[in-house]
């Protein structure tokens, strides 16, 4: 199988550049060029023509504006005392359970996912607050990083979600039904994560040092949480009332945060300067990766890689369950190297007809696919949540990936559950449209 | 021994298309690829990349094909209007009153399209018409009064201007935001085809479709000239023949597609208003006249010549 | 060496300028989206939001990149870097800088031709605004040049200092 050698070639090239310590965005750029040149036999002029246009196309996308704005919102929250209050508010709620305030990762991400359409923004925003607080309190590093990586990817599954919109448009299914279909699986995964944290902490209490229970009542706790809950309410409310589109909600979030900070007299010039500088650095990190990931996808497209691999799977005539396993494997492999939107766009023309023919519901498959994509967010070498966490914590990518492994497995387990009981996905949209 | 032995060479090409695989355009393109394969005994092998999988969308196609970044592309005509305003012709509002009329207009304008492509190292292969655009809405649209302050999503500047002139409140939104905005009431109507609305399950939020016959916009499929010249003579004529067959196929497909779409709409209890009242049609045509005039000014003699032939008979 | 120091100064200054423009663009995005939301609630629209914010995102990404690169904000896989003694790191640093610079220089040659064509033919956007597209395309080109300059200066500095070179990621 010729295409297999091409796939191996691309992987080897990428691993080579990454291990040389080349920036990840530059590695993807170099591999895109190198793979068309060496593996696709394209002449260098044509490669220059293709990628110059794709670089512009990939970055000239207004939906990406949600990234700097959600990051800015996170920065403002982080640099004011809102984050401290969020944390203090969640502490009395979470510290009652084994694992203590590790659950703020899961809870925080689940809440923020309902505001944000991307997993990178969710991870960055919540992570900015929790990684340092958890470290300062002596919590197990692996558990804090891993749970954040896993829970951060819920940004895609809990609506609003950019990938769901891409899938809905491609697969011609209702985006509003997709949004509803993602809610229960999202909560299920959050529950699995929290359950796992409790189990680990119960087995080994040293992982989550017992905190002094502050003498707070639930009411005081809610008082502390009020500003954040208000912000979440404003952002979600702006989307579900039709005032803003999911892509515009980030701007509403920033405006609301600014108003809140002004009312509380927390705003200052140094705070704004720091917030904007931090926003720029995180935004460019994420955007440069997104843009070059699209170059990589273009290169794969020209090499016909995803298409031929999927076609090969189709030719095997598998039983529905075996087909699903094969597809899961296929998506996990693609997820090692590609970002979610590219995976969706490149593979669906081939996989969707196979899946429909095997009798699967397109809404259900959309959710299955998104869980697969979320897995790709936390697998090396190209995993966006890993990148975000690497830059937040300063830990190496291998350390971050290793810490994420249990949560990767838990998400695989969730994929298995929704495959055995498709009602987990389909029940809510069916009830809501009736 | 070899099925392709008649031909000196085997050629592979890539074909970029930003629509999904079930769209009328992708199906027409697959038809073309299949004809090429048959007519060249498999010696010309074209791979269709749907959904913008190569990373290009319609707005990038013109120069991507000119430069040879991709060999063939299926491009929404209006997105090339910044290169030459002639490409706005097929989406001008209320010029044609049906598929046959749209096809006649295309045939008349074809030499002008071909000239622009030729100037930019490309050839025009075939056209891929959209089903006629109408208005999807929550409440029935029967008269001009029903359009007053209607928050309608339009897809280009001509539509924005026309609906503004007729007293509606046009909104510009990206396609991905249309369904969420319909669901939440941010917009109450959409200017698009029955087909596109059916693909987006618009019936979850909309109960009416008014076939105002706004326009039958065209997609154009164009090919890099050098890639074409590299083919041998037999392959070249096979590609041109396949293009001719696909053109026939596409114009027929758009008619049957509209009938199928209407059946789907009926199944989902969408009330279809077709044909619309002449009062409504006249009001809209009136509102569109400034758009048409502007276009004529921007295209000069070419536009005048096309209109003279189209209207003169 | 003096020339190199001057070039480094210049590149750092330009990077800072790029970063400033990028931040202004983020503020602009915020403002335009809020304006659009406000106008939509009044049944109006700016009609150019997706177009202009798209340009802003593209310009922000490329103009802001050299500064973030300089500040060490772009991530890398440090699996091997961490295991090599610091004084032998410079060949790897040199390799990364050169390979990235050549990619950007190569691509910018073709993008330059495209911007030139857009300018000379007067290509405009197909929207109501009819924007001459060489302007946003040119902003991206400028960003590509800034990145290339920054990386070439960096490569020269590594060549001069060799084992004395400390990148921002392995400074103490
Ligand atoms: Na979300
Ligand atoms: Na991955």
């Amino acid at each position: 199988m010729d295409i297999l050698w091409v796939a191996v070639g691309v992987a080897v090239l990428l691993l080579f550049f990454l291990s040389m310590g080349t920036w990840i965005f530059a590695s993807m750029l170099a591999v895109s060029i190198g793979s068309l040149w060496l593996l696709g036999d394209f002449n260098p002029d044509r490669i220059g023509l293709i990628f110059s246009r794709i670089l512009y196309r990939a970055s000239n996308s207004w939906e990406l504006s949600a990234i700097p704005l959600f990051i800015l919102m996170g920065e403002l929250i982080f640099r004011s005392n809102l984050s401290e209050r969020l944390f203090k508010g969640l502490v009395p709620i979470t510290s009652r359970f084994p694992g203590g305030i590790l659950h703020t990762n899961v809870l925080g991400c689940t809440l923020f996912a309902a505001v944000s359409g991307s997993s990178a923004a969710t991870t960055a925003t919540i992570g900015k607050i929790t990684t340092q607080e958890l470290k300062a309190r002596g919590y197990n590093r692996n558990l804090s990083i891993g749970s954040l990586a896993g829970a951060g990817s819920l940004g895609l599954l809990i609506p609003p979600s950019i990938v769901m919109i891409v899938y809905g448009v491609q697969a011609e299914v209702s985006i509003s039904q997709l949004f509803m279909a993602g809610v229960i699986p999202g909560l299920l995964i959050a529950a699995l994560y929290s359950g796992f944290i409790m189990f680990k902490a119960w087995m080994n209490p040293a992982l989550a040092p017992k905190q002094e229970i502050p003498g707070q009542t639930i009411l005081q706790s809610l008082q502390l949480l009020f500003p954040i809950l208000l912000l979440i309410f404003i952002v979600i409310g702006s989307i579900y009332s039709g005032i803003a589109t999911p892509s515009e909600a980030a701007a509403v979030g920033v405006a609301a945060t600014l108003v809140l900070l002004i009312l509380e007299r927390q705003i200052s010039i140094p705070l704004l300067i720091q917030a904007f500088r931090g926003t720029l650095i995180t935004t460019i990190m994420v955007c440069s990766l997104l843009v070059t990931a699209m170059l990589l996808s273009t290169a794969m497209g020209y090499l016909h890689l995803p298409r031929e691999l999927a076609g090969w799977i189709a030719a095997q005539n598998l039983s529905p369950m075996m087909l699903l396993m094969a597809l899961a494997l296929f998506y996990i492999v693609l997820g090692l190297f590609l970002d979610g939107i590219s995976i969706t766009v490149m593979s669906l023309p081939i996989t969707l007809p196979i899946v429909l023919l095997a009798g699967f519901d397109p809404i259900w498959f959309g959710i299955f696919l998104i869980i697969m994509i979320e897995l790709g967010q936390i697998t090396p070498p190209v995993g966006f949540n890993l990148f975000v966490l690497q830059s937040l914590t300063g830990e190496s990518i291998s350390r971050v990936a290793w810490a994420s492994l249990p949560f990767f497995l838990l998400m695989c387990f969730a994929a298995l559950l929704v495959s055995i009981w498709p009602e987990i996905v389909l029940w809510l949209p069916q009830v809501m449209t009736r | 021994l070899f099925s392709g032995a008649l031909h000196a060479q085997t050629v592979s090409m890539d074909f970029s298309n930003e629509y999904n695989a079930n769209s009328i355009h992708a199906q027409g393109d697959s038809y073309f690829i299949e004809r090429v394969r048959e007519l060249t005994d498999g010696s010309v092998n074209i791979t269709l990349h749907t959904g913008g999988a190569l990373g290009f969308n319609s707005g990038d196609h013109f120069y991507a094909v000119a430069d040879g970044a991709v060999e063939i592309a299926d491009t929404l005509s209006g997105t090339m209007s910044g290169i030459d305003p002639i490409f706005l012709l097929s989406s001008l509002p209320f010029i044609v009153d049906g598929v046959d009329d749209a096809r006649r207009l295309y045939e008349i304008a074809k030499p002008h399209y071909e000239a622009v492509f030729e100037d930019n190292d490309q050839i025009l292969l075939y056209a891929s018409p959209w089903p006629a655009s109408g208005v999807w809405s929550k409440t029935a649209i029967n008269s001009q009064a029903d359009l007053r302050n209607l928050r309608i999503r339009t897809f280009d500047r001509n539509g924005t201007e026309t609906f503004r002139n007729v007293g509606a409140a046009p909104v510009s939104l990206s396609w991905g935001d249309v369904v969420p905005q319909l669901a939440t009431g941010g917009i109450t109507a959409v200017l698009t085809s029955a087909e596109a609305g059916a693909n987006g399950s618009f019936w979850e939020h909309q109960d009416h479709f008014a076939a105002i016959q706004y326009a039958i916009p065209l997609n154009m499929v164009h090919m890099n000239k050098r890639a074409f010249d590299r083919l041998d003579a037999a392959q070249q004529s096979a590609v041109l023949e396949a293009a001719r067959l696909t053109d026939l196929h596409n114009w027929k497909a758009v008619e049957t597609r509209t009938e199928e779409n209407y059946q789907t709409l009926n199944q989902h209890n969408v009330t279809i208003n077709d044909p619309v009242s002449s009062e409504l049609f006249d009001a809209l045509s009136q509102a569109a006249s400034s758009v048409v005039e502007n276009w004529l000014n921007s295209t000069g003699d070419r536009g005048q010549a096309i209109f003279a032939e189209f209207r003169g008979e | 060496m003096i020339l190199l120091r001057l070039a480094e100064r210049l590149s750092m200054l330009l990077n800072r300028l790029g970063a400033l423009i990028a931040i202004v663009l983020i503020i602009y995005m915020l403002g335009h989206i809020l304006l659009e939301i406000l106008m939509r609630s009044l049944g109006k629209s700016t009609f150019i939001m997706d177009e202009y914010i798209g340009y802003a995102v593209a310009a922000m990404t490329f103009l802001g990149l050299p500064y973030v690169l300089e500040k060490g904000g772009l991530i890398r896989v440090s699996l091997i870097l961490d295991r090599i003694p610091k004084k032998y790191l410079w060949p790897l640093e040199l390799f990364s800088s050169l390979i990235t610079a050549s990619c950007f220089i190569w691509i910018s040659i073709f993008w330059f031709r495209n911007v030139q064509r857009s300018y000379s033919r007067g290509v405009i956007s197909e929207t109501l605004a009819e924007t001459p597209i060489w302007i946003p395309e040119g902003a991206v080109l400028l960003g590509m040049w800034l990145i290339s300059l920054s990386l070439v200066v960096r490569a020269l500095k590594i060549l001069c200092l060799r084992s004395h070179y400390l990148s921002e990621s392995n400074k103490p």
Side-chain angles (χ1 to χ4, degrees), chain A residues 334-338 375-384:
Chain A
L334 281 190
L336 297 179
F337 299 100
L338 300 176
L375 288 172
Q377 303 277 333
I378 53 175
T379 55
V382 181
F384 277 80

Side-chain angles (χ1 to χ4, degrees), chain C residues 57-92:
Chain C
V57 172
M60 172 203 74
T61 306
F62 285 89
L63 292 173
L65 209 149
Y67 175 79
V68 180
L69 190 88
E70 181 195 311
K71 294 292 166 201
L74 296 172
I75 49 175
R76 41 187 18 182
V77 177
S78 50
L79 206 62
I80 291 187
L81 292 184
D82 290 347
R83 284 168 178 70
I84 296 178
K86 283 203 164 66
K87 56 180 180 172
Y88 299 125
L89 272 177
W90 70 270
L92 290 183

Side-chain angles (χ1 to χ4, degrees), chain B residues 180-259:
Chain B
Q181 282 284 294
L182 280 176
T184 53
I187 54 174
T188 49
V190 182
L191 174 67
T192 191
S193 60
E195 158 116 11
N199 291 344
S201 312
F202 277 17
W203 44 74
E204 286 175 13
H205 315 288
Q206 311 264 277
D207 301 316
H208 297 270
F209 179 73
I212 58 169
Q213 301 286 342
Y214 172 84
I216 297 183
L218 295 183
N219 266 42
M220 298 200 184
V221 175
H222 45 121
M223 180 175 183
N224 178 273
K225 183 74 165 63
R226 275 161 293 141
F228 182 78
D229 290 341
R230 276 197 295 272
L231 301 174
D232 64 33
Q235 288 170 331
Q236 287 184 354
S237 54
V239 166
L240 293 180
E241 174 62 8
R244 193 186 65 80
L245 291 170
T246 310
D247 203 72
L248 289 175
H249 167 268
N250 284 350
W251 286 105
K252 211 167 285 161
V254 75
E255 278 189 14
T256 51
R257 196 76 169 215
T258 305
E259 285 159 25

